[in-house]
Amino acid sequence: MAITQDLGGKTAVITGSNSGIGLGIARELARAGADVVLNSFTDRDEDHALAADLAAEFGVSARYVRADMSKGEDCRALIAAAGACDILVNNAGIQHVAPIDTFPVEKWDAIIAINLSSAFHTTAAALPMMRKAGWGRIINIASAHGLTASPYKSAYIAAKHGIVGLTKTTALETAEEAITANAICPGYVLTPLVEAQIPDQMKTHGMDRDTVVRDVMLARQPSKAFATVEQMGGTAVFLCSDAAAQITGTTISVDGGWTAL
Ligand code: NAD
């Protein structure tokens, strides 16, 4: 059988996709021919415009559906509203940095809900659709912090390790079907939010851009280069391809060598 990555006729739902990595993944899936459902918790004209732009650029069907990934019922409603879900990308995520003994309880709860529990709800809602279609791809966006830890990020690291575990269980429960579940573990990715932090970091450390990026921001990334949202999208497209049909229950690090240290 020829190895293909034409995603024409497939519908992809990408949570948290009105910016950053989620939008980058949606763009690459659309470029490969998939119809896409974008999501976040806002309902602004610009959110819907992102979907219209994708449809115009790639000639696919694209919609934006508001749903708050901190709420289980919204997660399930997103999949129902999509109507079909051949490719599910659980990407929505937030971060908070504080020592455990002063970590705000509401931040812990929100991070566990958005970064971990949302994937349980969307997966539960999407699996019957994938089984009916006889094909499915579940891609969970974990992190290098799904495999390693850093201080002061307890909730994020617990959630990201948790989503790696959920990925493995999902893979085992679908192992004999044409459904795979994998996690992408990015290192530091250059998103608009990360880009916006660079001037502040330059000021704080009294360093030029190259030095602050190399020695401060990418201190743990041996390649000394940010990963890109396009690379995340390309990895997701690969996981949807026939070449990846026997890749399931595992993690793919796109981290410039971070987890090799
Ligand atoms: P981002 O802030 O640009 O994107 C996060 C997305 O999640 C946004 O679209 C946001 O609107 C959405 N979101 C937040 N709360 C939501 C909610 N309650 N309901 C629905 N959507 C919600 O950040 P990003 O860097 O693109 O992060 C995307 C994912 O990649 C996250 O899971 C993050 O942990 C992971 N990640 C990022 C990096 C990095 O360096 N940027 C590294 C490793 C992992």
Side-chain angles (χ1 to χ4, degrees):
M1 189 178 70
I3 295 292
T4 152
Q5 58 177 45
D6 175 8
L7 300 180
K10 308 290 190 203
T11 299
V13 180
I14 307 103
T15 72
S17 47
N18 66 351
S19 72
I21 293 173
L23 183 57
I25 290 175
R27 284 183 57 79
E28 295 312 310
L29 291 173
R31 193 192 305 280
D35 295 329
V36 292
V37 176
L38 303 181
N39 153 263
S40 185
F41 59 92
T42 49
D43 198 10
R44 306 165 301 181
D45 288 348
E46 62 217 71
D47 296 322
H48 295 273
L50 285 172
D53 290 349
L54 277 187
E57 186 172 352
F58 299 112
V60 298
S61 152
R63 277 192 301 144
Y64 176 86
V65 176
R66 192 215 82 89
D68 182 347
M69 293 299 103
S70 70
K71 300 189 169 81
E73 62 275 21
D74 271 33
C75 298
R76 290 169 189 259
L78 167 65
I79 303 302
C85 184
D86 305 296
I87 299 163
L88 170 63
V89 182
N90 288 305
N91 170 77
I94 59 168
Q95 173 65 287
H96 186 79
V97 179
I100 292 175
D101 51 348
T102 57
F103 205 93
V105 173
E106 67 279 7
K107 292 286 183 197
W108 172 277
D109 289 343
I111 290 173
I112 298 299
I114 295 168
N115 297 22
L116 175 58
S117 300
S118 68
F120 158 67
H121 292 292
T122 55
T123 300
L127 274 178
M129 291 181 180
M130 292 178 177
R131 289 189 164 125
K132 203 165 162 210
W135 189 92
R137 294 285 187 269
I138 297 169
I139 300 171
N140 294 324
I141 307 306
S143 167
H145 278 132
L147 303 168
T148 64
S150 300
Y152 314 124
K153 297 182 177 175
S154 55
Y156 187 84
I157 284 159
K160 294 299 186 183
H161 276 69
I163 205 160
V164 170
L166 175 66
T167 305
K168 292 179 185 177
T169 299
T170 309
L172 293 180
E173 292 188 16
T174 56
E176 293 188 28
E177 303 166 83
I179 297 171
T180 68
N182 293 289
I184 298 176
C185 293
Y188 223 142
V189 183
L190 190 59
T191 61
L193 274 185
V194 170
E195 180 68 51
Q197 291 167 20
I198 296 176
D200 276 353
Q201 294 276 9
M202 289 166 62
K203 219 185 282 170
T204 306
H205 294 278
M207 293 173 174
D208 62 28
R209 182 187 163 96
D210 286 354
T211 312
V212 91
V213 165
R214 185 185 169 84
D215 296 345
V216 179
M217 302 181 79
L218 296 176
R220 291 180 71 177
Q221 198 144 308
S223 64
K224 300 298 170 194
F226 288 110
T228 66
V229 300
E230 290 80 10
Q231 289 163 354
M232 299 306 138
T235 305
V237 170
F238 165 67
L239 285 172
C240 293
S241 73
D242 292 345
Q246 285 299 317
I247 299 177
T248 194
T250 194
T251 57
I252 297 193
S253 291
V254 188
D255 67 0
W258 180 327
T259 44
L261 276 176

